[in-house]
């Protein structure tokens, strides 16, 4: 069975040994440098504003992150003044969404020939990288990722969105590896997270439908080793449990969209600046 056949059948595909241990260690070391350069307290207060502005401030920071390296903290990591309540190395949930553009190390691995070959085999004609994230899933505190489809957040017409999820350490059942409903990508997009068309509302983003309920026994754990990459169809339902183990589960992930004869939805939360469009994969 070819990569494309397996991907089309299941909605995901595991590529073992996608990055070497040395390459993974380089990404992790670069992330440690990013942690050392995280925003000062005065710039972190938007995450912890007390009162009605909290949600809108967080939404605006999120929506404005397409061309920046932005820091997203774990719930409860900051006090009301933006000061850290925990050690810096365990304070972050993720860093994104333009690592692949602004950081030379992450850019090198996002635009390498292995990524290009995988996307070519999946049938991309003019792929572009929409966003990138380093997700920490820290030991004992890494939060649950509820069941979702990536296409709820990144939508194109016609729809062609694929995530590349690279394990930067062993991802196990104990530390929160991905879970999939195999074949669920064949059921379409169940709901979308969109910019609120009601400009008078304080909510900048909304879901257009209630959250679907997915039976827990439909999910299958997919543990992978350090350096493995999981290709994820934008429509496949996946999730991960909280990390209550003593071992962190860091990953680097980014999303590829088709741009040839394809419209990127103007309702998506992520919108590139008009003078800085998404970077094309095959041209870099």
């Amino acid at each position: 069975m070819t990569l494309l056949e397996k991907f089309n059948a299941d909605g995901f595909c595991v590529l073992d040994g996608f990055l070497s241990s040395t390459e993974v260690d380089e990404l992790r070391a670069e992330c440690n440098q990013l942690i050392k350069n995280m925003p000062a307290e005065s710039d972190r207060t938007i995450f912890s504003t007390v009162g009605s502005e909290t949600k809108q401030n967080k939404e605006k920071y999120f929506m404005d992150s397409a061309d920046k390296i932005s820091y997203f903290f774990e719930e409860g990591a900051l006090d009301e003044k933006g000061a850290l309540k925990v050690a810096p190395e365990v304070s972050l949930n993720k860093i994104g969404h333009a690592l692949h553009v602004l950081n030379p190390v992450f850019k090198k691995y996002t635009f390498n020939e292995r990524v290009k070959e995988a996307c070519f085999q999946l049938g991309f004609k003019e792929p572009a990288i929409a966003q990138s994230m380093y997700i920490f899933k820290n030991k004992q505190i890494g939060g649950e990722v509820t069941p979702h489809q990536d296409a709820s957040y990144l939508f194109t017409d016609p729809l062609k969105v694929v995530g590349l999820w690279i394990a930067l350490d062993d991802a196990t059942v104990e530390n929160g590896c991905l879970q999939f409903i195999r074949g669920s990508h064949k059921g379409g997009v169940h709901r979308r997270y969109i910019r609120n068309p009601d400009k008078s509302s304080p909510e900048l983003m909304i879901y257009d439908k209630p959250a679907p309920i997915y039976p827990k026994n439909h999910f299958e754990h997919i543990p992978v080793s350090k350096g493995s990459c999981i290709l994820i169809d934008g429509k496949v339902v996946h999730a991960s449990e909280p990390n209550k183990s003593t071992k962190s589960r860091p990953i680097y992930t980014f999303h590829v969209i088709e741009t040839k004869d394809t419209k990127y939805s103007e309702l998506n939360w992520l919108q590139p600046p008009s003078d800085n469009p998404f970077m094309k994969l095959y041209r870099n």
Side-chain angles (χ1 to χ4, degrees):
M1 184 179 289
T2 67
L3 182 150
L4 181 59
E5 288 171 340
K6 183 169 178 54
F7 184 79
N8 287 340
D10 296 339
F12 66 95
C13 185
V14 177
L15 304 178
D16 294 317
F18 192 74
L19 294 184
S20 70
S21 180
T22 300
E23 290 172 325
V24 167
D25 292 344
E26 184 179 7
L27 284 170
R28 294 189 65 167
E30 186 64 19
C31 183
N32 288 336
Q33 293 301 312
L34 290 171
I35 293 173
K36 291 179 182 178
N37 296 321
M38 72 168 60
E41 287 182 22
S42 59
D43 295 322
R44 296 197 298 253
T45 56
I46 58 170
F47 301 104
S48 55
T49 304
V50 177
S52 60
E53 293 183 3
T54 301
K55 188 172 188 296
Q56 191 173 74
N57 283 342
K58 288 184 178 181
E59 287 178 338
K60 190 174 188 309
Y61 183 82
F62 188 65
M63 294 166 72
D64 290 345
S65 64
D67 60 342
K68 302 176 181 66
I69 294 177
S70 301
Y71 293 73
F72 301 87
F73 292 84
E74 288 283 6
E75 194 71 32
L78 305 179
D79 66 19
E80 61 185 29
K81 295 182 180 179
L84 290 174
K85 296 165 62 177
V86 295
E89 59 270 20
V90 297
S91 66
L92 290 160
N93 175 279
K94 69 177 181 177
I95 300 175
H97 290 95
L99 287 168
H100 64 289
V101 177
L102 300 175
N103 182 281
V105 175
F106 284 92
K107 183 177 183 179
K108 176 175 69 172
Y109 288 111
T110 307
F111 291 91
N112 73 23
E113 293 305 314
R114 283 159 283 180
V115 172
K116 294 177 183 179
E117 177 62 25
C119 290
F120 177 77
Q121 290 192 36
L122 292 180
F124 279 95
K125 304 301 183 185
E126 295 184 9
I129 311 296
Q131 64 160 351
S132 54
M133 298 177 286
Y134 188 108
I135 300 177
F136 291 83
K137 199 82 166 182
N138 287 307
K139 59 185 180 181
Q140 299 181 324
I141 62 170
E144 175 187 14
V145 177
T146 57
H148 67 284
Q149 300 168 295
D150 291 344
S152 293
Y153 305 91
L154 293 171
F155 191 86
T156 65
D157 184 21
L159 185 60
K160 192 170 181 63
V161 177
V162 173
L164 283 83
W165 189 98
I166 302 172
L168 302 182
D169 210 330
D170 293 345
T172 66
V173 173
E174 292 74 26
N175 68 6
C177 68
L178 287 183
Q179 305 173 58
F180 290 90
I181 299 181
R182 195 181 293 269
S184 56
H185 62 300
K186 299 173 184 178
V189 180
H190 304 153
R191 70 168 177 167
R192 291 179 59 194
Y193 188 54
I194 61 174
R195 292 179 175 241
N196 193 347
D198 181 1
K199 301 306 180 184
S200 64
S201 171
E203 291 191 319
L204 301 179
M205 299 184 293
I206 59 171
Y207 285 102
D208 64 350
K209 296 176 184 175
I213 297 175
Y214 302 107
K216 286 190 174 182
N217 63 356
H218 287 192
F219 285 89
E220 176 184 350
H221 290 94
I222 306 294
V224 295
S225 58
K226 175 181 177 180
S228 297
C229 176
I230 306 180
L231 305 175
I232 304 172
D233 187 290
K235 300 186 295 297
V236 74
V237 178
H238 58 290
S240 69
E241 294 168 347
N243 182 7
K244 297 180 180 179
S245 79
T246 58
K247 189 173 183 180
S248 294
R249 194 227 63 189
I251 63 107
Y252 176 54
T253 185
F254 52 94
H255 288 89
V256 181
I257 61 170
E258 182 62 85
T259 63
K260 183 176 175 60
D261 301 325
T262 302
K263 178 177 172 54
Y264 184 78
S265 176
E266 60 189 15
L267 294 177
N268 287 338
W269 69 270
L270 183 75
Q271 297 293 331
S274 57
D275 60 345
N276 191 18
F278 294 139
M279 292 182 69
K280 298 291 182 66
L281 179 61
Y282 296 159
R283 300 179 190 174
N284 288 277

